Amino acid sequence: ETTGWGLRVVHAAPSAPAAEAVLAALPARCRARADVASLERFGLKGRVDFKLISCLWKTRAYYEGIGAGPLLVAGGDDVIVRRPPSAAELNETFLGAPWAWCDYGGKAPRTCQRVACFCGGNGGFSLRSPAFVASFGLHAKPGSPQWHRACERERPYADDVWFAHRLHKAVQRRDSRFRAASQHVLAEFAAETRSAADPAAIHKTWDYLPAADVVAHLEAPLRIVLATRNASKVDSA
C-alpha cells in the first residue's frame, strides 16, 4: 500500500462475483487503485485454456495501466502471499520459485531449456520488471488473429519459462538493463519445492514439502489474519 501499487484481478466470466467480492473486501482507500477485469476485456471469449492464459501473461497489454513499479503476478488460488517483497527483490528483473525439474535434476519439459533454471522461476507467484516485460512481451493485441498466431509460434507455451529463456538471451548479450538473480535469491523469494526461511509467498508447497515446513510458512500470515480479526472485534464493540 505504501508503494502506491495498483491491483488488477483478472477473471473468467463465471468468476465475476468472486472478483467483485475481492474488490469489496479492500479498504476504501485502496479501491481507487484496484481494477477488476474479465478475460473478455483482453479479447478472450468462451472457453479459455491454460495455453491462452499463459500467452496472455506473455503479452504487454496485460500489464498496461496497472501502475508504475515492479509487476507481481499471482497466478491462481494455490498461492498464499506472506509478506511484501523486499527492496532488494524489487530491483531484480525476474523472480519466481525454482522449478521442480531444476531442483531434482530431472529432465526439462519438452520445449524447455535447462538454462531457464538460472534465469527465472515459477510463474505461480513471480516478479517481473516493467522494462523487461516491455522489451520482450508480445506486442499483438490480445485476442487478435496476429496474437493467436504468435501464441502458437512462441515456444515454450508456459510464460515463466518463456521469459526465463529471454532473460538468458539478454544476459548473453550483456544487456545491462537486466540481470539474472542468484539461485539463493530465487529460492528465498518464493517457496515451492524448496523450503525458505521467510518467503514472500508460497505456491503449492503442500505438494512438495514436509507438513512441518508448510505449517511454519503459514504461521506468519495466520497471525496477521487473527490480529486483524481481533482488532475488528474491538472496533465494533
Side-chain angles (χ1 to χ4, degrees), residues 85-92 95 179 185:
S86 68
E89 289 168 340
L90 293 176
N91 284 325
E92 297 290 351
L95 295 178
R179 64 181 183 185
V185 170

Side-chain angles (χ1 to χ4, degrees), residues 36-163:
V36 174
S38 72
L39 289 173
E40 291 188 358
R41 182 196 291 186
F42 298 101
L44 302 184
K45 300 178 181 179
R47 185 178 180 276
V48 179
D49 60 17
F50 177 75
K51 186 186 296 185
L52 289 179
I53 293 293
S54 196
C55 191
L56 185 60
W57 288 338
K58 298 175 186 175
T59 307
R60 291 174 56 179
Y62 180 80
Y63 303 96
E64 293 174 350
I66 297 178
L71 302 163
L72 278 173
V73 178
D77 57 6
D78 51 9
V79 176
I80 298 176
V81 180
R82 301 179 65 259
R83 63 164 175 82
S86 68
E89 289 168 340
L90 293 176
N91 284 325
E92 297 290 351
T93 300
F94 179 34
L95 295 178
W99 289 284
W101 48 273
C102 295
D103 271 0
Y104 304 130
K107 183 180 179 181
R110 188 169 60 88
T111 76
C112 297
Q113 301 172 26
R114 291 201 64 83
V115 295
C117 298
F118 307 103
C119 293
N122 190 278
F125 182 79
S126 67
L127 181 145
R128 305 164 188 199
S129 80
F132 179 58
V133 170
S135 295
F136 294 99
L138 300 180
H139 290 236
K141 181 181 178 181
S144 67
Q146 295 89 341
W147 182 79
H148 281 283
R149 286 195 293 270
C151 292
E152 286 298 322
R153 181 178 66 250
E154 295 292 340
R155 305 291 182 92
Y157 289 128
D159 59 291
D160 47 11
V161 184
W162 186 83
F163 273 123

